[in-house]
Amino acid sequence: MVRDTRRFDEEYDVAVIGAGIGGLTCAAYLAKKGKKVKVFEQHFVPGGCCTSFSRKGFKFDAGVLHLTGGKASGAFQKVMSALEMEQELEFKEQFQRFVFPDFTYDSTRNVNDYPEKLKEMFLGEASGITRLFHTINSIYEDIKKLPALSPLLTKYREKSYQDLIDEHIKDFKLKALVNANWHLWNPVWKNSAIDFASLTVSETIRGYFYPVGGIQAVPDALVRVLKRYGGEIEYRTLVDKIILENGKAAGIETGKGKRVRAKQVVSNIAARATFLNLIGEENLPADFIATLNGLEISLSSFYVYLGVDIDPRESGFNAPETIVYESYDNTKDWELLLQGEISIPCFGIAVPTYMDPDLAPPGKHIVIIMTMAPYSLRGKSWREEKKRMTAELITKAEKLIPNLSQHIVVQDSATPLTYERYTLNSLGAAMGWAFTPQMFMKRLEQKTPVPNLYLAGQWTMPGGGVPAVAVSGLRAARMIIGE
Ligand SMILES: Cc1cc2nc3c(=O)[nH]c(=O)nc-3n(C[C@H](O)[C@H](O)[C@H](O)COP(=O)(O)OP(=O)(O)OC[C@H]3O[C@@H](n4cnc5c(N)ncnc54)[C@H](O)[C@@H]3O)c2cc1C
């Protein structure tokens, strides 16, 4: 390999590519520990999937709508305490409402209340519910001991959540309810039993939280902390190369031609982009490339952002986040979706102005309607379908918020292409790799085959979701420091 002898324009201990929550957490912790660190971000705001944008006085959350564990010893709380930034953010607790054709369920933040409430609703299933939640709780406890694999984790490592619930309960409505949290962007038969069980416990115990000021408050706070500890961030800067010296990461090169030397590089961007574009296949082991190309990517999303001049609470719509299932069996819808058809197995409606009224002009509200979506459509394009899909979601939401369409003062939508454009995540993925059983234990390590290159974010351990990527950022920083 010919050594590149061109000069470097800047020099740091650590260069971080991407200002998603994983990259920012990593950089802030390194800066706190005295490292000279700089984050390079292609967008003009920090946060990646966790950003907000403004239109005519309304501040819309672009993707992330809540954090689990914002308080009460949740994962994000632990990260905030490691960064000594608890005072930087104020979180309000919220709940989720699940709407089915003939019943409604409001989430409760007590892992013991949850099965008890289910037993009251499904009397004949009491013993199955007890056994199901005993198994789920045991999986959650065993996960903490990884990489050691308990007999329970060994039993379920290749099973789906569908397998797990089918073993314990029979009632189809109960099954629909215990699988109702769509946060893994996957149908029940494709969701890893272990990942979903762990999510069920952590989301239930830790609760859902909303940051005052909107979702952008989270990355903004991390940037403040990064800078307070002496770290730097450069926006509108696309990194297009990781510089290698003797096969080791030695810095980065930006699209503007700036060369930055760094003892370590942390990539917070899509894994395939990191390895295939910024490093190059020729510099990596063939088996690693084969693994990388074989991993399944999660679905993306379709969002409709509405600024409205009504208060939906006046028509009884009072939950900050509602997830609607129009049928108990959405298998067909999921199958169509996975084949690249527009299909809506379920949809959500969030009203973040219930949590923070200042996100909208006085007397007005924000209504966000969202569902999962495939990146590529079979025989159609998102350009053609965007308008139709927006109208369909508004019509569906109108069944719960009467006359919604007559009260829209601002409207916008995001397709998977929008998420790809703003975050550069492959296929606009909402969660990085899909949470399939095959992915459990197969996620990319934070230490990569390239010495001095680390990963932080949703494409590495422990996976997607804001608290998880914050944990991955902290872990990457601690690996670099040797803590
Ligand atoms: C629509 C949607 C809704 C979601 N809802 C929730 C939710 O409610 N709760 C939750 O916990 N999680 C949610 N998630 C998942 C969560 O947002 C993500 O898992 C998490 O935010 C990803 O963080 P990350 O650190 O991996 O970085 P990302 O958010 O993926 O950010 C990567 C950053 O890198 C930058 N970048 C990319 N390439 C380059 C390059 N070459 N050079 C420089 N910069 C680059 C991007 O601009 C971006 O800022 C949602 C995701 C989506 C898309």
Side-chain angles (χ1 to χ4, degrees):
M1 189 188 299
V2 183
R3 192 178 148 89
D4 191 340
T5 54
R6 282 176 294 161
R7 68 179 172 79
F8 285 94
D9 302 285
E10 294 176 9
E11 197 163 332
Y12 293 89
D13 291 326
V14 185
V16 178
I17 311 169
I21 300 300
L24 290 174
T25 304
C26 181
Y29 194 71
L30 288 168
K32 179 172 185 258
K33 293 288 169 171
K35 294 280 179 192
K36 192 177 175 210
V37 53
K38 184 162 179 179
V39 181
F40 297 86
E41 166 57 47
Q42 57 99 22
H43 199 0
F44 54 82
V45 287
C49 305
C50 190
T51 53
S52 311
F53 64 92
S54 296
R55 295 267 188 288
K56 296 186 182 165
F58 293 86
K59 194 170 175 190
F60 294 105
D61 300 326
V64 174
L65 295 172
H66 64 249
L67 270 70
T68 50
K71 280 184 186 167
S73 80
F76 195 73
Q77 176 65 29
K78 286 184 185 148
V79 169
M80 288 199 298
S81 111
L83 291 170
E84 293 180 69
M85 60 173 285
E86 294 95 330
Q87 307 307 321
E88 295 287 337
L89 283 164
E90 185 192 341
F91 284 104
K92 285 192 176 167
E93 185 159 6
Q94 65 174 63
F95 68 98
Q96 286 192 320
R97 175 165 297 160
F98 298 95
V99 175
F100 287 93
D102 57 4
F103 71 90
T104 294
Y105 179 87
D106 286 351
S107 70
T108 152
R109 192 178 143 207
N110 180 331
V111 78
N112 299 319
D113 279 0
Y114 184 27
E116 291 315 312
K117 276 178 86 174
L118 294 178
K119 283 179 204 169
E120 281 165 25
M121 292 167 72
F122 300 93
L123 293 172
E125 294 269 16
S127 63
I129 293 171
T130 304
R131 281 186 288 111
L132 175 66
F133 278 85
H134 175 72
T135 308
I136 285 176
N137 284 321
S138 305
I139 288 176
Y140 178 73
E141 290 306 319
D142 287 1
I143 279 225
K144 295 179 192 162
K145 297 172 203 145
L146 280 172
L149 266 186
S150 68
L152 196 63
L153 295 189
T154 306
K155 175 178 175 189
Y156 286 108
R157 63 188 288 186
E158 283 174 13
K159 296 201 175 192
S160 70
Y161 194 62
Q162 176 91 64
D163 298 329
L164 173 63
I165 58 179
D166 285 352
E167 264 180 37
H168 297 96
I169 53 177
K170 292 191 183 64
D171 189 294
F172 68 98
K173 292 186 184 178
L174 173 60
K175 285 184 183 183
L177 179 53
V178 297
N179 175 47
N181 190 333
W182 63 311
H183 286 147
L184 295 185
W185 269 257
N186 235 357
V188 62
W189 70 89
K190 283 193 74 171
N191 263 330
S192 148
I194 293 177
D195 283 326
F196 204 94
S198 149
L199 178 95
T200 302
V201 181
S202 60
E203 291 213 333
T204 310
I205 307 176
R206 310 296 181 207
Y208 302 94
F209 290 88
Y210 190 81
V212 173
I215 283 298
Q216 187 68 49
V218 177
D220 285 353
L222 284 166
V223 170
R224 278 199 304 279
V225 173
L226 167 73
K227 289 183 175 169
R228 187 195 307 145
Y229 292 131
E232 297 172 44
I233 184 161
E234 184 175 314
Y235 297 107
R236 299 177 200 271
T237 301
L238 182 83
V239 174
D240 63 10
K241 188 176 174 187
I242 293 174
I243 298 168
L244 299 180
E245 280 180 7
N246 301 321
K248 297 179 183 167
I252 55 122
E253 192 167 318
T254 73
K256 298 171 193 160
K258 186 198 280 186
R259 286 166 52 81
V260 178
R261 181 180 272 294
K263 294 186 190 105
Q264 276 99 9
V265 174
V266 176
S267 178
N268 176 222
I269 70 171
R272 287 197 186 142
T274 302
F275 294 106
L276 303 181
N277 306 347
L278 271 59
I279 290 187
E281 236 175 277
E282 64 286 5
N283 296 309
L284 290 158
D287 58 343
F288 179 77
I289 295 292
T291 304
L292 192 66
N293 286 330
L295 299 176
E296 189 176 333
I297 292 178
S298 74
L299 281 165
S300 186
S301 301
F302 190 100
Y303 271 40
V304 179
Y305 311 96
L306 304 177
V308 298
D309 63 4
I310 41 162
D311 184 343
R313 283 174 292 206
E314 282 167 15
S315 51
F317 189 87
N318 58 6
E321 223 179 302
T322 302
I323 298 175
V324 185
Y325 285 83
E326 293 178 321
S327 129
Y328 291 103
D329 182 5
N330 51 21
T331 314
K332 188 83 198 143
D333 291 314
W334 272 112
E335 279 169 353
L336 289 171
L337 193 68
L338 294 168
Q339 289 158 19
E341 297 286 342
I342 291 190
S343 177
I344 305 177
C346 64
F347 63 98
I349 307 173
V351 190
T353 32
Y354 292 167
M355 306 308 299
D356 183 352
D358 292 340
L359 299 173
K364 302 206 168 50
H365 281 272
I366 288 174
V367 175
I368 298 177
I369 317 167
M370 66 275 187
T371 189
M372 291 73 62
Y375 178 77
S376 300
L377 293 178
R378 217 165 45 178
K380 292 178 185 145
S381 76
W382 276 116
R383 189 183 288 270
E384 295 157 358
E385 293 302 310
K386 186 172 175 175
K387 215 169 150 188
R388 196 188 62 71
M389 180 83 162
T390 300
E392 187 174 342
L393 282 171
I394 293 174
T395 303
K396 282 183 184 292
E398 204 154 31
K399 291 183 192 153
L400 291 104
I401 308 175
N403 305 321
L404 176 68
S405 59
Q406 290 157 37
H407 291 277
I408 298 170
V409 292
V410 180
Q411 179 180 324
D412 207 342
S413 315
T415 74
L417 306 189
T418 319
Y419 289 110
E420 180 192 46
R421 186 165 78 244
Y422 284 105
T423 68
L424 301 187
N425 274 313
S426 311
L427 311 186
M431 281 279 155
W433 306 117
F435 280 87
T436 57
Q438 290 71 32
M439 193 60 64
F440 177 66
M441 304 289 281
K442 261 203 188 166
R443 262 177 201 283
L444 297 183
E445 303 276 341
Q446 297 198 248
K447 244 186 183 160
T448 72
V450 179
N452 300 337
L453 173 66
Y454 296 81
L455 302 183
Q458 61 182 358
W459 301 92
T460 182
M461 310 274 212
V466 172
V469 301
V471 166
S472 86
L474 196 58
R475 280 191 200 163
R478 286 182 164 149
M479 281 178 193
I480 289 171
I481 295 163
E483 270 184 5

